[in-house]
Amino acid sequence: MKQDIYDRHFAQDIFSRLSGTYDTVNRISSFGYSTKWRRQLLQQLPIGLEPKRTLDLFSGIGETWHHIKDRFPGTEITAIDFSPGMVLQANKMNLLHFNGDVKVLKGDVLKAELPNGYFDLVVCAFGLKSLAPDQLAHIAKLTERVLAPGGRFAFIETSMPPGRLVRMLFSFHIRYVVPAFGFIFGHAEEFRMLWRYTSAYRNSQHAVDAFSQEGLEVFSDSYFYGCATGFHGEKRR
Ligand SMILES: C[S@@+](CC[C@H](N)C(=O)[O-])C[C@H]1O[C@@H](n2cnc3c(N)ncnc32)[C@H](O)[C@@H]1O
């Protein structure tokens, strides 16, 4: 039977199992690009912005928090992820590097009861690809709902590059090289999912459409020949 990759329990289990090695494999197998892209994600936001409250969706072990704090030292971070393994690592990261100041929520983003109009910034790194199209529309609605008027958002996701040669090379990389690194750390099967999710996601255009449909002002972003795509924007006042 074909596995439903968008099944909540399936994704939760995959990410929980690889939580102990996720960051290391990610850094090594992306040759540092995943870290660079998270930094660039924050750079999409305008200079002079001072968000009081930031929401990190699909927060994993908190890989984006250093970048958020570097860019916006005064912001309070709320993070949400549903994989027990990831949240366990996130709590450790919080205590070790952030004085326990990050509010870490364990829960399904698709069911989260986050307050209306509360956040000034919503960020999300590499969390969209494990969502089906109707779930993407839900994230667009959620972002619109939780942002204060004038609030900003920035999302990034691994994607299939438009150029044939780069797409061939990148596909080979995520299909075979990343799982090989995963294999070294005992999680080849879990890291193989990067290919399945990314090839199904393709790029962020459908997410851009879903966010635009919510009345948000959206600008598309492309990173390194389209190996990652994303978008940023604003909730109109
Ligand atoms: C590829 S990781 C990204 C983690 C991190 N943001 C980063 O920059 O690497 C995707 C994360 O999304 C979480 N996730 C997937 N679907 C979710 C859902 N419906 N609710 C909450 N978390 C979810 C997984 O547990 C996983 O930690």
Side-chain angles (χ1 to χ4, degrees), residues 15 22 38 58-60 63-64 81-83 86 107-109 125-126 129-130:
F15 284 109
Y22 175 77
R38 286 186 197 98
F58 307 96
S59 48
E63 296 88 342
T64 314
D81 197 289
F82 72 1
S83 295
M86 290 297 217
D108 189 339
V109 172
F126 311 116
K129 64 183 165 300
S130 57

Side-chain angles (χ1 to χ4, degrees), residues 1-86:
M1 196 180 71
K2 203 162 182 255
Q3 177 61 54
D4 174 11
I5 60 171
Y6 301 118
D7 175 76
R8 173 176 182 270
H9 298 290
F10 176 73
Q12 206 172 22
D13 188 43
I14 290 273
F15 284 109
S16 240
R17 275 189 273 143
L18 53 73
S19 57
T21 54
Y22 175 77
D23 191 36
T24 312
V25 173
N26 215 243
R27 273 171 204 260
I28 301 174
S29 66
S30 75
F31 306 117
Y33 267 91
S34 57
T35 307
K36 185 177 171 174
W37 286 341
R38 286 186 197 98
R39 191 173 60 246
Q40 290 178 334
L41 170 72
L42 271 296
Q43 286 168 354
Q44 304 289 359
L45 295 159
I47 293 169
L49 196 69
E50 287 183 11
K52 260 175 74 184
R53 303 181 186 118
T54 297
L55 174 64
D56 179 19
L57 293 175
F58 307 96
S59 48
I61 67 166
E63 296 88 342
T64 314
W65 301 345
H66 281 292
H67 304 291
I68 297 173
K69 280 288 186 185
D70 283 352
R71 188 68 218 278
F72 307 116
T75 200
E76 285 170 24
I77 304 175
T78 299
I80 178 162
D81 197 289
F82 72 1
S83 295
M86 290 297 217

